[in-house]
Amino acid sequence: IEYGIGLSGNASIELVDAMGQKVMTLIDQPHASGNYEMTLDVSRIPAGVYFYVLRSGPYLERQKLVITK
């Protein structure tokens, strides 16, 4: 997962299912502004449609993630 932080501060990324229920928190920590990349281990997550939600200050971004096995 590639993501960018515009303003330094706390950032979180949560994985939610198609119904909007949180599956897990991927990141919840301070970040400096910049571009980042993380690897998500999906071995324990069932196949399906998910979304990852990035929150950083006033910014919110939601991206679709399809897991196939």
Side-chain angles (χ1 to χ4, degrees):
I1 296 174
E2 296 178 358
Y3 62 99
I5 303 296
L7 300 171
S8 295
N10 198 63
S12 68
I13 300 178
E14 293 181 341
L15 186 66
V16 299
D17 63 19
M19 299 298 289
Q21 298 296 312
K22 182 169 80 168
V23 175
M24 67 175 54
T25 299
L26 305 175
I27 292 174
D28 188 9
Q29 63 189 34
H31 279 65
S33 62
N35 295 314
Y36 296 87
E37 184 176 324
M38 67 168 290
T39 301
L40 175 60
D41 178 8
V42 298
S43 62
R44 295 185 191 184
I45 303 171
V49 177
Y50 298 87
F51 296 89
Y52 61 91
V53 181
L54 168 64
R55 289 182 179 88
S56 176
Y59 182 75
L60 176 95
E61 179 181 351
R62 183 181 311 247
Q63 293 290 323
K64 186 176 183 179
L65 176 68
V66 178
I67 298 175
T68 59
K69 296 191 176 188

